[in-house]
Amino acid sequence: MAVQNNTTPSAKRRFQSPFDVATPPGAEGWQELYPYYAHISEERRAVEEQKLWYFDGMHNPEPLYPFDTIMTENWWVAASQMTTKVWPIPVAMGIDQRIINGYLYVSPNSIDDPAEVARRAELFNERAGHYYENWDTIYAEWKKKANGCIERLKQIQFKPLPEFEPEENVYGHRGIYSSHDLLSSYNRLIENLFEMGSYHFEMLNLGYGAYLTFREFCQQAFPGISDQTITDMVSGIDILLFRPDDELRKLASRAIELSVDGALLANSDPASALKAVGSLPGGAAWLAAYEESRNPWFWFSTGVGYTHSDAVWMTDPRLPFTALRGYIEALRRGEDIRRPLDKIIETRTRVTQEYRELLPTEDDREAFDGLVKLARTVYPYVEDHNFFVEHWHHSLFWEKVRELGEVFVAHKFFDDKEDIFYLHRHEVYDALYDMIIGWAVGTPPRGEVYWRPIIQKRRKIRDALAKWSPPPALGVPPESITEPLTIMLWGITQETIQQWLGGDTAEDGVLRGIAASAGKVTGRARLITESEQLYDVQDGEILVCRITAPSWAPVFQRISAAVSDVGGMMAHTAIISREYGLPAVVGTGFATVNVSTGDLIEVDGTEGTVRVLEKAVQA
Amino acid sequence: MSAAAPFVLWLDDPIANGHPALGGKFSSLGEMTASGFSVPPGFGITTSAYRSFMDAAGLSEEARRVSAAADKMALEDIKSETKTLIAGVLNAPLPAQLEADIREAYAELERRTGVKDVPVAVRSSGESEDLAGASFAGQYDTFLWVCGIESVLHHVRQCWVGMFGEAVLSYRVDGQAVISRGDFGMCVGIQQMVQARAAGVMFTLNPLNGDRSKVAMEAVWGLGEGVVKGDITPSRFMVDKVTFEIVERKRSDQREEYRFDPSQGVAVLPIEETRIGVSCLEESHVLALAELAKHIERRRGAPQDIEWAVDVNGNVRVLQVRPETVWSRKAAQSIVGKSRSPIGHVLARMAGNQIAKPAATGAKGAA
């Protein structure tokens, strides 16, 4: 076990210093995978040692691939500039980042000088007020911008450099050639990501702010009210994140109508299933429906979309086909698989109305009405941006990077297109320039021999880092946590910090977390730290993970309970578990450190405890 | 008051619903029965019966004098002041018709339940319980597991006498002895005993902070006496009244319970190993009870304090309902500090201000 900072749990005020974290064996030299500015360093020790750094296992559960840092570096600026420079939010500054042993640690900055807070508040009220007042219009514009950005991304293409320039580049008097096109395509690709990355946060912090205000109002009025209940009061029913799953339900019904359901059930491999369907009389019609559903709804990541390694339905349809078969079987049993929309709306209306009536005064009811209305106004953005940005755009982006990887393979730099992810984006630019020098000059580029050993070494380092379990936090906790994203998205509060300070396991060997879905189950654990491992899940196993992504839903048909390290209000582990009626304990902090695949564990989703009953025999 | 009321009134008699001659507890139980809630069968020996007895025994005048004097009585004088009255109530003969009515009603309860000498709870149900703000919680007597008509008649008198006990005469609300506010009668309720597997009390609000969105429950193995008396630490449950989520639970490590024992009557007895460390309520019971609490509160239009039991067959029974008296008397306090537009609230929050203070705790105001 790699967490060594818990020698005297009761007396602790701080976490291990980020400077004291040891490099895991086999990962020596890991620093070279990442740019200089992402490292903890002696020059900035005074600041870095006194801050709280918490592990962002929610977005980046795995050690970062060098290229994938484009995502974290994007929000390092894009999310932070909104709070510091654009609005600016009076009490919050940006969220800082460092990479430690390959894992992303983040740290919110705050402002406490009252004069500065007041100066910022004036600007903030005007600027943020403008956004709230014009929310729907701005969101409509936002969708146009997002669609435009995705459209331009689709247009970007990467092809190996030609032996001779095509005629049109000569007789068209272009004056610029394939070398320039390749470089500029790469630049446009990177800029396109940062453009979408900027849109990502244009409305997000404000959306969360309105939601958070409503949430806190409810928590004060009704102490103990669950986050899920609050979300249910404002959540839409036609959110885009449900669409991919809805498309599968539709395709399941269509398969039965067209009598291709048998072929889909009989072939667990998607390619064979599609082939078998194609040979049937109703096959062409179903395949047409399938194609229609795929675009864009299969641009859906099995992760959070921040890492290239998360499988995407479009390119790896195993997960949607598993779900599809589940729906077909349910339909054959005579079940209604449509989402009960009327019932959801009815419940939402009833719940909102009942809480409203329980408020003490008319003033409170008025405030409640206004806040719930505003939260419902902003919530479509909060929920839907996720499909546009993380799923659709980013999944497409990773495919484009792979396309560029193919170019490197064609030019003998790499053996595999996936190798490109072991280079930082700035290194990719260098390698591209090396490539066009070689192409232009006719001398073999150094890249043909330079990158292979580096990639091989980095792969080994990253594999060693993947075996290390990052502690949930490092450094010194602040007096109070005020930064809205920290609370909203990561679910980190004063209580979370206290719980983490309490140690990784209680003396009695019981992990404690939030009781998220009732029931008690004993079973074998299946530890998932990389989304690729999802396919290993066996029926009846208990999912143990850092956090689940919405698109893991199909796996929930197979498991008997779920346990996660992190549990913010936006975490889906709890919601999905309740939908499937599975016991779940979230926010345990340390389950992935203490539980291994094959361990016999007991999950009590009523009490919020996880017990290891019997350790698996280690190979 | 209702001189025309019969001496005996069954809970399921259509006129029992809220009938004043049944006193506070039993008229509420009449209402619960009429509303279709599962109330153990029984009848009330009405205030009209009580008055008829007192008149026949020539004790009415003395009772009025003692009640009126209660406000000025020193605690140590109560015993001597009430001595004659109490002896009278215990010994004067019952009017023939009254005694015949009680005997017939008990025989009818034996027929209805199919149990000879059916065990009953004999409960005081005073008119004074109707007074807003006076719960008289635990002040009047209740006798459990009373079997046979002779014992019932004996305990009816015990309940009447309870009117003039130290606890009742000295019970004060806002500094005034409540009993001095009027000439109160006493109904005695006779109700089939519930063989409780578990029992307890619930409030249709959180008694700690007045949060109306919760049902707060305390439960014990066995009869609910332990919860009411406070000598057995109960398990606690807090249920969200809107979503029916159990938001808090604390299991008590209960090793003894109140139950009936043929040789000792109702007593505190050890519970067997298999129930130690086990929750006295299953989740389904907690939720059924919360549902029940919500219905009763809706039906009665105000927060309630409810005694209940889960019988040996797992059925939830209502034993007592009365208005909650602490938070209901406080003026509602707004939780929002300042009146602002919704956007104003959000901007204020994001500028670091708290926009609402905790509900009903009277804590520091919001900015």
Side-chain angles (χ1 to χ4, degrees), chain B residues 56-78:
Chain B
L59 295 167
S60 302
E61 195 50 46
E62 177 63 359
R64 274 192 286 275
R65 187 192 70 78
V66 167
S67 299
D71 202 29
K72 288 178 235 49
M73 250 183 246
L75 195 57
E76 58 272 24
D77 297 338
I78 291 180

PDB file of all heavy atoms in Angstrom, chain B residues 56-78:
ATOM      1  N   ALA B  56     -73.200  11.454  41.555  1.00  0.00           N
ATOM      2  CA  ALA B  56     -73.859  10.451  42.386  1.00  0.00           C
ATOM      3  C   ALA B  56     -73.122  10.266  43.705  1.00  0.00           C
ATOM      4  O   ALA B  56     -73.727  10.039  44.747  1.00  0.00           O
ATOM      5  CB  ALA B  56     -73.937   9.119  41.626  1.00  0.00           C
ATOM      6  N   ALA B  57     -71.785  10.400  43.656  1.00  0.00           N
ATOM      7  CA  ALA B  57     -70.990  10.204  44.866  1.00  0.00           C
ATOM      8  C   ALA B  57     -70.910  11.474  45.701  1.00  0.00           C
ATOM      9  O   ALA B  57     -70.302  11.480  46.770  1.00  0.00           O
ATOM     10  CB  ALA B  57     -69.589   9.734  44.470  1.00  0.00           C
ATOM     11  N   GLY B  58     -71.478  12.565  45.176  1.00  0.00           N
ATOM     12  CA  GLY B  58     -71.442  13.846  45.896  1.00  0.00           C
ATOM     13  C   GLY B  58     -70.059  14.442  45.972  1.00  0.00           C
ATOM     14  O   GLY B  58     -69.701  15.138  46.929  1.00  0.00           O
ATOM     15  N   LEU B  59     -69.222  14.186  44.952  1.00  0.00           N
ATOM     16  CA  LEU B  59     -67.836  14.643  44.990  1.00  0.00           C
ATOM     17  C   LEU B  59     -67.554  15.809  44.044  1.00  0.00           C
ATOM     18  O   LEU B  59     -66.451  16.370  44.043  1.00  0.00           O
ATOM     19  CB  LEU B  59     -66.898  13.485  44.628  1.00  0.00           C
ATOM     20  CG  LEU B  59     -66.885  12.303  45.607  1.00  0.00           C
ATOM     21  CD1 LEU B  59     -66.181  11.100  44.975  1.00  0.00           C
ATOM     22  CD2 LEU B  59     -66.194  12.709  46.909  1.00  0.00           C
ATOM     23  N   SER B  60     -68.538  16.191  43.224  1.00  0.00           N
ATOM     24  CA  SER B  60     -68.304  17.197  42.192  1.00  0.00           C
ATOM     25  C   SER B  60     -67.831  18.521  42.765  1.00  0.00           C
ATOM     26  O   SER B  60     -66.892  19.146  42.249  1.00  0.00           O
ATOM     27  CB  SER B  60     -69.569  17.426  41.359  1.00  0.00           C
ATOM     28  OG  SER B  60     -69.960  16.200  40.786  1.00  0.00           O
ATOM     29  N   GLU B  61     -68.499  18.940  43.821  1.00  0.00           N
ATOM     30  CA  GLU B  61     -68.176  20.245  44.400  1.00  0.00           C
ATOM     31  C   GLU B  61     -66.733  20.272  44.912  1.00  0.00           C
ATOM     32  O   GLU B  61     -65.973  21.202  44.630  1.00  0.00           O
ATOM     33  CB  GLU B  61     -69.156  20.527  45.555  1.00  0.00           C
ATOM     34  CG  GLU B  61     -69.162  21.982  45.982  1.00  0.00           C
ATOM     35  CD  GLU B  61     -69.330  22.938  44.788  1.00  0.00           C
ATOM     36  OE1 GLU B  61     -70.218  22.699  43.921  1.00  0.00           O
ATOM     37  OE2 GLU B  61     -68.527  23.896  44.698  1.00  0.00           O
ATOM     38  N   GLU B  62     -66.364  19.172  45.622  1.00  0.00           N
ATOM     39  CA  GLU B  62     -65.012  19.071  46.164  1.00  0.00           C
ATOM     40  C   GLU B  62     -63.964  19.056  45.035  1.00  0.00           C
ATOM     41  O   GLU B  62     -62.913  19.681  45.135  1.00  0.00           O
ATOM     42  CB  GLU B  62     -64.908  17.787  47.007  1.00  0.00           C
ATOM     43  CG  GLU B  62     -63.528  17.492  47.598  1.00  0.00           C
ATOM     44  CD  GLU B  62     -63.023  18.540  48.597  1.00  0.00           C
ATOM     45  OE1 GLU B  62     -63.723  19.543  48.842  1.00  0.00           O
ATOM     46  OE2 GLU B  62     -61.878  18.362  49.085  1.00  0.00           O
ATOM     47  N   ALA B  63     -64.287  18.372  43.936  1.00  0.00           N
ATOM     48  CA  ALA B  63     -63.367  18.304  42.794  1.00  0.00           C
ATOM     49  C   ALA B  63     -63.143  19.696  42.216  1.00  0.00           C
ATOM     50  O   ALA B  63     -62.017  20.089  41.904  1.00  0.00           O
ATOM     51  CB  ALA B  63     -63.919  17.363  41.729  1.00  0.00           C
ATOM     52  N   ARG B  64     -64.229  20.474  42.082  1.00  0.00           N
ATOM     53  CA  ARG B  64     -64.107  21.837  41.549  1.00  0.00           C
ATOM     54  C   ARG B  64     -63.252  22.696  42.473  1.00  0.00           C
ATOM     55  O   ARG B  64     -62.433  23.486  42.027  1.00  0.00           O
ATOM     56  CB  ARG B  64     -65.496  22.463  41.364  1.00  0.00           C
ATOM     57  CG  ARG B  64     -66.127  22.112  40.017  1.00  0.00           C
ATOM     58  CD  ARG B  64     -67.353  22.952  39.727  1.00  0.00           C
ATOM     59  NE  ARG B  64     -68.507  22.552  40.522  1.00  0.00           N
ATOM     60  CZ  ARG B  64     -69.359  21.564  40.179  1.00  0.00           C
ATOM     61  NH1 ARG B  64     -69.151  20.892  39.040  1.00  0.00           N
ATOM     62  NH2 ARG B  64     -70.360  21.239  40.938  1.00  0.00           N
ATOM     63  N   ARG B  65     -63.460  22.518  43.783  1.00  0.00           N
ATOM     64  CA  ARG B  65     -62.704  23.324  44.734  1.00  0.00           C
ATOM     65  C   ARG B  65     -61.182  23.027  44.623  1.00  0.00           C
ATOM     66  O   ARG B  65     -60.377  23.954  44.523  1.00  0.00           O
ATOM     67  CB  ARG B  65     -63.172  22.999  46.169  1.00  0.00           C
ATOM     68  CG  ARG B  65     -62.542  23.920  47.216  1.00  0.00           C
ATOM     69  CD  ARG B  65     -62.775  23.422  48.634  1.00  0.00           C
ATOM     70  NE  ARG B  65     -62.025  22.205  48.949  1.00  0.00           N
ATOM     71  CZ  ARG B  65     -60.725  22.169  49.243  1.00  0.00           C
ATOM     72  NH1 ARG B  65     -59.996  23.269  49.234  1.00  0.00           N
ATOM     73  NH2 ARG B  65     -60.130  21.021  49.537  1.00  0.00           N
ATOM     74  N   VAL B  66     -60.867  21.735  44.567  1.00  0.00           N
ATOM     75  CA  VAL B  66     -59.452  21.342  44.507  1.00  0.00           C
ATOM     76  C   VAL B  66     -58.803  21.865  43.212  1.00  0.00           C
ATOM     77  O   VAL B  66     -57.715  22.437  43.225  1.00  0.00           O
ATOM     78  CB  VAL B  66     -59.308  19.805  44.608  1.00  0.00           C
ATOM     79  CG1 VAL B  66     -57.888  19.363  44.235  1.00  0.00           C
ATOM     80  CG2 VAL B  66     -59.674  19.341  46.015  1.00  0.00           C
ATOM     81  N   SER B  67     -59.540  21.714  42.093  1.00  0.00           N
ATOM     82  CA  SER B  67     -58.982  22.160  40.812  1.00  0.00           C
ATOM     83  C   SER B  67     -58.725  23.657  40.830  1.00  0.00           C
ATOM     84  O   SER B  67     -57.678  24.136  40.405  1.00  0.00           O
ATOM     85  CB  SER B  67     -59.939  21.837  39.662  1.00  0.00           C
ATOM     86  OG  SER B  67     -60.138  20.449  39.599  1.00  0.00           O
ATOM     87  N   ALA B  68     -59.723  24.398  41.317  1.00  0.00           N
ATOM     88  CA  ALA B  68     -59.600  25.854  41.325  1.00  0.00           C
ATOM     89  C   ALA B  68     -58.437  26.297  42.214  1.00  0.00           C
ATOM     90  O   ALA B  68     -57.734  27.264  41.918  1.00  0.00           O
ATOM     91  CB  ALA B  68     -60.908  26.491  41.798  1.00  0.00           C
ATOM     92  N   ALA B  69     -58.218  25.546  43.290  1.00  0.00           N
ATOM     93  CA  ALA B  69     -57.182  25.932  44.243  1.00  0.00           C
ATOM     94  C   ALA B  69     -55.776  25.540  43.771  1.00  0.00           C
ATOM     95  O   ALA B  69     -54.783  25.994  44.333  1.00  0.00           O
ATOM     96  CB  ALA B  69     -57.470  25.285  45.605  1.00  0.00           C
ATOM     97  N   ALA B  70     -55.731  24.678  42.751  1.00  0.00           N
ATOM     98  CA  ALA B  70     -54.445  24.108  42.333  1.00  0.00           C
ATOM     99  C   ALA B  70     -53.407  25.174  42.021  1.00  0.00           C
ATOM    100  O   ALA B  70     -52.219  25.007  42.300  1.00  0.00           O
ATOM    101  CB  ALA B  70     -54.638  23.200  41.119  1.00  0.00           C
ATOM    102  N   ASP B  71     -53.846  26.283  41.449  1.00  0.00           N
ATOM    103  CA  ASP B  71     -52.920  27.325  41.021  1.00  0.00           C
ATOM    104  C   ASP B  71     -52.136  27.891  42.203  1.00  0.00           C
ATOM    105  O   ASP B  71     -50.992  28.301  42.062  1.00  0.00           O
ATOM    106  CB  ASP B  71     -53.702  28.441  40.308  1.00  0.00           C
ATOM    107  CG  ASP B  71     -52.767  29.231  39.391  1.00  0.00           C
ATOM    108  OD1 ASP B  71     -51.788  28.630  38.898  1.00  0.00           O
ATOM    109  OD2 ASP B  71     -53.023  30.424  39.177  1.00  0.00           O
ATOM    110  N   LYS B  72     -52.777  27.906  43.361  1.00  0.00           N
ATOM    111  CA  LYS B  72     -52.115  28.509  44.517  1.00  0.00           C
ATOM    112  C   LYS B  72     -51.536  27.468  45.472  1.00  0.00           C
ATOM    113  O   LYS B  72     -50.887  27.821  46.461  1.00  0.00           O
ATOM    114  CB  LYS B  72     -53.123  29.409  45.278  1.00  0.00           C
ATOM    115  CG  LYS B  72     -53.445  30.682  44.512  1.00  0.00           C
ATOM    116  CD  LYS B  72     -54.464  31.498  45.254  1.00  0.00           C
ATOM    117  CE  LYS B  72     -55.719  31.899  44.522  1.00  0.00           C
ATOM    118  NZ  LYS B  72     -56.515  30.984  43.784  1.00  0.00           N
ATOM    119  N   MET B  73     -51.784  26.185  45.182  1.00  0.00           N
ATOM    120  CA  MET B  73     -51.348  25.137  46.098  1.00  0.00           C
ATOM    121  C   MET B  73     -49.835  24.933  46.047  1.00  0.00           C
ATOM    122  O   MET B  73     -49.260  24.847  44.958  1.00  0.00           O
ATOM    123  CB  MET B  73     -52.001  23.807  45.702  1.00  0.00           C
ATOM    124  CG  MET B  73     -53.040  23.321  46.687  1.00  0.00           C
ATOM    125  SD  MET B  73     -53.628  21.719  46.114  1.00  0.00           S
ATOM    126  CE  MET B  73     -55.319  22.119  45.734  1.00  0.00           C
ATOM    127  N   ALA B  74     -49.227  24.829  47.213  1.00  0.00           N
ATOM    128  CA  ALA B  74     -47.810  24.463  47.260  1.00  0.00           C
ATOM    129  C   ALA B  74     -47.721  22.957  47.064  1.00  0.00           C
ATOM    130  O   ALA B  74     -48.619  22.220  47.494  1.00  0.00           O
ATOM    131  CB  ALA B  74     -47.217  24.861  48.603  1.00  0.00           C
ATOM    132  N   LEU B  75     -46.655  22.517  46.438  1.00  0.00           N
ATOM    133  CA  LEU B  75     -46.511  21.107  46.102  1.00  0.00           C
ATOM    134  C   LEU B  75     -46.681  20.204  47.329  1.00  0.00           C
ATOM    135  O   LEU B  75     -47.363  19.188  47.278  1.00  0.00           O
ATOM    136  CB  LEU B  75     -45.130  20.888  45.460  1.00  0.00           C
ATOM    137  CG  LEU B  75     -44.930  19.568  44.734  1.00  0.00           C
ATOM    138  CD1 LEU B  75     -45.959  19.374  43.632  1.00  0.00           C
ATOM    139  CD2 LEU B  75     -43.517  19.500  44.149  1.00  0.00           C
ATOM    140  N   GLU B  76     -46.101  20.658  48.463  1.00  0.00           N
ATOM    141  CA  GLU B  76     -46.140  19.787  49.648  1.00  0.00           C
ATOM    142  C   GLU B  76     -47.535  19.719  50.282  1.00  0.00           C
ATOM    143  O   GLU B  76     -47.826  18.827  51.071  1.00  0.00           O
ATOM    144  CB  GLU B  76     -45.099  20.239  50.689  1.00  0.00           C
ATOM    145  CG  GLU B  76     -45.242  21.666  51.178  1.00  0.00           C
ATOM    146  CD  GLU B  76     -44.485  22.679  50.304  1.00  0.00           C
ATOM    147  OE1 GLU B  76     -44.248  22.362  49.110  1.00  0.00           O
ATOM    148  OE2 GLU B  76     -44.145  23.768  50.782  1.00  0.00           O
ATOM    149  N   ASP B  77     -48.422  20.644  49.891  1.00  0.00           N
ATOM    150  CA  ASP B  77     -49.776  20.635  50.479  1.00  0.00           C
ATOM    151  C   ASP B  77     -50.744  19.784  49.683  1.00  0.00           C
ATOM    152  O   ASP B  77     -51.844  19.484  50.151  1.00  0.00           O
ATOM    153  CB  ASP B  77     -50.332  22.068  50.527  1.00  0.00           C
ATOM    154  CG  ASP B  77     -49.479  22.937  51.443  1.00  0.00           C
ATOM    155  OD1 ASP B  77     -48.783  22.357  52.311  1.00  0.00           O
ATOM    156  OD2 ASP B  77     -49.496  24.168  51.265  1.00  0.00           O
ATOM    157  N   ILE B  78     -50.380  19.414  48.468  1.00  0.00           N
ATOM    158  CA  ILE B  78     -51.354  18.775  47.580  1.00  0.00           C
ATOM    159  C   ILE B  78     -51.933  17.503  48.200  1.00  0.00           C
ATOM    160  O   ILE B  78     -53.145  17.303  48.223  1.00  0.00           O
ATOM    161  CB  ILE B  78     -50.723  18.472  46.203  1.00  0.00           C
ATOM    162  CG1 ILE B  78     -50.448  19.803  45.478  1.00  0.00           C
ATOM    163  CG2 ILE B  78     -51.633  17.590  45.363  1.00  0.00           C
ATOM    164  CD1 ILE B  78     -49.830  19.681  44.108  1.00  0.00           C
TER     165      ILE B  78
END
